[in-house]
Amino acid sequence: MVPAVQVDFYDADELKSEVSWIPNKHYSGIYGLMKLVLTKTLPLNLQKVIVLDTDITFATDIAELWAVFHKFKGQQVLGLVENQSDWYLGNLWKNHRPWPALGRGFNTGVILLLLDRLRKLRWEQMWRLTAERELMSMLSTSLADQDIFNAVIKQNPFLVHQLPCFWNVQLSDHTRSEKCYRDVSDLKVIHWNSPKKLRVKNKHVEFFRNLYLTFLEYDGNLLRRELFGCPSETDHNSENLQKTLLELDEDDPCYEFRRERFTVHRTHLYFLHYEYEASADQTDVTLVAQLSMDRLQMLEAICKHWEGPISLALYLSDAEAQQFLRYAQGSEVLMSRSNVGYHIVYKEGQFYPVNLLRNVAMKQVSTPYMFLSDIDFLPMYGLYEYLRKSVVQLDMAHTKKALVVPAFETLRYRLSFPKSKAELLSQLDMGTLFTFRYHVWTKGHAPTNFAKWRTATTPYRVQWEADFEPYVMVRRDSPEYDRRFVGFGWNKVAHIMELDAQEYEFVVLPNAYMIHMPHAPSFDITKFRSNEQYRVCLKTLKEEFQQNMSRRYGFAALKYMTAENNS
């Protein structure tokens, strides 16, 4: 939802054959040659484009660069900045033979392309013939597309409109880029065109690096504000959203809660590399959880307890996302796992959108089953394998079941984690462990029937009761969480009620357990405890949810109303 921005994707696999015949030694590999085929790839009605490498930082408004097209004269179709290294002069080392270029040659990190004119000049034929001819003696490209662009320009110098060098200040190892700028206002585009990227050596690299990091830590929501002078066509979704928001009553004391349900959060799926193939036996299960910055320290422990795939939604600001990146890259435990999907939902609004986060993590599950957990719980060692066996044992594929993993808690920061049920029971008897929330919210887990669990050796069925909120494993197609519940309170209760309404059976696993680890109370629970209006609004939302349940499930949903009244 960025105004006046339209995004299109093109499948690189379909273009590979156009350039795969060119041997290339550059670290960008085959993708470094793709710019050559833009005239063929981009739509015919597109006349002008600015082509940018992904390793550049803009230090000015890109509108200034668009204005440069007006300066093109005659047959000029390419806007380029001269190379700031001596590469094409061929004097960097003994027997250095670069591709042919005009003088110092041109850098292709920033290109202005007049596509319609290039097509008329039969660009495709032009670069192909040049590449074929030069490869007979050069054998491969060293700088990917840049070598071929420069060889074409050497033959046809009239094609180039030379841009001032501040439009592409190059920071590779052999450059003298400081000649491009005298003070900060001269800088337009900074190009990290070295394999070392931010670690490159340069007289002013500290300044450039800080500028780049400042952009990364910017609040990205600023980009969603309408810009003056940039008319944007509002899309259908955006119009519907505006209409919905206008229908809300701003004088309603619960307005902020209601608005939250319709907030469209910026979301970056798979923030880090993810690779996992679900096993063929159809029993695979993904652990699902959500977290914010203050629970980051739980990730390593969870990874040690659960070897299967994990889907996590992280609620972070742009600056926190960068901190998370540095944290993850510095962690051997996290870096050794490629089966953890990290999905960042960027902060917006006043509340922690707990159920939206759960839904984001759930939607990215690719295994047939998911274990819906919370980030402050450690699953028992071996739970992943135990759940997979239970899938077969309890015929999960053909029945509607929610398998309950009994929840316990410790108040100790240093816990000797029980390796077996027997060890857990002895810690329970010694007072090192307790059943979860036994002292503040017994109803949440009472139906699990811990007394029965102590001696159970086979799975047993339990009935839904008011306020029941166990941690369960369900099929991937089970219902989503209700987004109206944000922050603290009723977010899981509503989901379990929905499962019950859809006739899921709750089956407690006799040898499964998870343990809640102690931490400072969250900001939202503090708000719930200290703010009466918060509690009033939660009660209102709860009542509305139950009315919705009655409408959707009719007579069957009556028991939720009566259970609530009796509780």
Side-chain angles (χ1 to χ4, degrees), residues 85-98 104:
S85 84
D86 291 346
W87 178 271
Y88 286 110
L89 299 179
N91 57 11
L92 290 182
W93 56 81
K94 205 179 171 193
N95 300 329
H96 172 217
R97 268 189 72 223
R104 306 180 72 86

Side-chain angles (χ1 to χ4, degrees), residues 548-563:
N548 284 5
M549 290 285 281
S550 304
R551 280 197 289 275
R552 281 165 60 207
Y553 298 106
F555 187 69
L558 258 181
K559 68 172 179 180
Y560 306 123
M561 306 293 271
T562 51

Side-chain angles (χ1 to χ4, degrees), residues 65 67-84 101-107 110-112 150 153 156-168 170 180:
L65 188 54
V68 177
F69 274 114
H70 296 307
K71 297 181 180 174
F72 280 38
K73 291 187 175 68
Q75 289 181 284
Q76 292 176 344
V77 287
L78 301 167
L80 291 160
V81 169
E82 188 181 47
N83 235 340
Q84 286 150 32
L102 203 60
R104 306 180 72 86
F106 294 92
N107 182 281
V110 176
I111 320 175
L112 271 57
N150 276 296
I153 291 164
N156 311 280
F158 58 86
L159 295 176
V160 178
H161 173 84
Q162 188 171 334
L163 302 173
C165 72
F166 49 62
W167 282 117
N168 185 348
Q170 299 146 39
C180 284

Side-chain angles (χ1 to χ4, degrees), residues 14-15 137 184 282 358 367 390 492 513:
E14 288 177 14
L15 304 169
S137 60
V184 176
Q282 293 299 301
R358 287 183 172 130
T367 56
S390 303
K492 284 196 301 288
Y513 55 88

Side-chain angles (χ1 to χ4, degrees), residues 114-327:
L114 279 175
L115 284 176
D116 51 344
R117 287 204 214 159
L118 265 174
R119 289 183 182 118
K120 281 180 191 149
L121 288 168
R122 303 177 75 179
W123 165 252
E124 203 159 320
Q125 232 174 336
M126 201 185 271
W127 74 257
R128 275 175 186 275
L129 289 171
T130 305
E132 283 166 7
R133 186 182 64 242
E134 295 303 333
L135 282 167
M136 287 163 78
S137 60
M138 297 304 298
L139 306 179
S140 70
T141 59
S142 295
L143 300 183
D145 67 275
Q146 196 163 284
D147 284 340
I148 297 171
F149 268 98
N150 276 296
V152 173
I153 291 164
K154 174 93 192 238
Q155 298 282 309
N156 311 280
F158 58 86
L159 295 176
V160 178
H161 173 84
Q162 188 171 334
L163 302 173
C165 72
F166 49 62
W167 282 117
N168 185 348
V169 175
Q170 299 146 39
L171 301 184
S172 60
D173 290 332
H174 311 293
T175 56
R176 294 193 297 277
S177 54
E178 57 268 23
K179 289 183 173 178
C180 284
Y181 53 89
R182 282 202 187 83
D183 59 45
V184 176
S185 62
D186 290 339
L187 283 169
K188 306 285 188 191
V189 170
I190 299 150
H191 187 183
W192 304 90
N193 64 325
S194 152
K196 296 175 191 163
K197 300 302 173 207
L198 297 189
R199 295 191 305 278
V200 73
K201 297 275 181 284
N202 171 281
K203 199 173 173 182
H204 303 113
V205 75
E206 203 53 40
F207 172 81
F208 296 143
R209 204 181 284 136
N210 283 335
L211 183 70
Y212 171 75
L213 293 172
T214 304
F215 281 129
L216 285 189
E217 296 182 357
Y218 240 46
D219 179 357
N221 290 320
L222 293 171
L223 300 174
R224 298 170 92 176
R225 304 289 167 262
E226 201 75 58
L227 293 173
F228 300 111
C230 282
S232 67
E233 292 174 27
T234 50
D235 66 11
H236 191 56
N237 292 343
S238 178
E239 270 179 18
N240 284 349
L241 179 64
Q242 291 308 323
K243 196 164 164 258
T244 308
L245 293 178
L246 286 172
E247 284 166 9
L248 294 179
D249 176 10
E250 289 202 34
D251 295 329
D252 174 357
C254 301
Y255 170 76
E256 289 299 339
F257 282 85
R258 297 186 194 288
R259 194 189 189 294
E260 186 61 49
R261 191 177 174 186
F262 304 105
T263 302
V264 179
H265 289 266
R266 286 182 300 128
T267 305
H268 185 155
L269 301 176
Y270 299 103
F271 190 71
L272 300 179
H273 175 70
Y274 178 80
E275 207 171 305
Y276 183 70
E277 240 171 81
S279 65
D281 67 3
Q282 293 299 301
T283 65
D284 215 347
V285 53
T286 302
L287 185 146
V288 171
Q290 39 70 40
L291 67 151
S292 53
M293 201 66 181
D294 57 346
R295 300 281 184 266
L296 215 49
Q297 70 283 1
M298 287 296 297
L299 291 182
E300 289 191 350
I302 286 176
C303 285
K304 288 174 186 170
H305 280 246
W306 177 275
E307 63 275 25
I310 301 174
S311 182
L312 297 171
L314 297 92
Y315 193 54
L316 305 175
S317 66
D318 295 74
E320 285 171 342
Q322 293 310 309
Q323 286 174 282
F324 163 66
L325 183 62
R326 289 192 283 275
Y327 169 78

Side-chain angles (χ1 to χ4, degrees), residues 5 18 36 53-54 69 78 95 165 184 200 265 284 315 328 336 339 342 358 401 413 432 434 476 532 560:
V5 172
E18 304 276 333
L36 295 164
D53 276 3
T54 52
F69 274 114
L78 301 167
N95 300 329
C165 72
V184 176
V200 73
H265 289 266
D284 215 347
Y315 193 54
S336 67
N339 64 348
Y342 298 97
R358 287 183 172 130
K401 287 193 181 84
Y413 280 86
T432 313
F434 306 95
R476 189 176 64 193
E532 194 190 347
Y560 306 123

Side-chain angles (χ1 to χ4, degrees), residues 371-374 376-380 383 403-410 417-418 424 428 433-439 441-442 444-451 453 460 468-472 492 508-517:
F371 171 44
L372 306 175
S373 185
D374 268 340
D376 39 17
F377 275 89
L378 287 181
M380 70 175 205
L383 182 63
L403 305 191
V404 175
V405 176
F408 299 87
E409 70 177 321
T410 177
F417 199 91
L424 178 131
L428 209 53
L433 287 179
F434 306 95
T435 55
F436 184 52
R437 290 276 183 268
Y438 81 101
H439 54 308
W441 183 244
T442 336
H445 294 265
T448 301
N449 194 346
F450 290 101
W453 183 83
Y460 59 92
F468 191 28
E469 50 173 9
Y471 292 95
V472 294
K492 284 196 301 288
V508 181
L509 296 172
N511 294 311
Y513 55 88
M514 59 200 294
I515 299 175
H516 181 264
M517 306 309 283

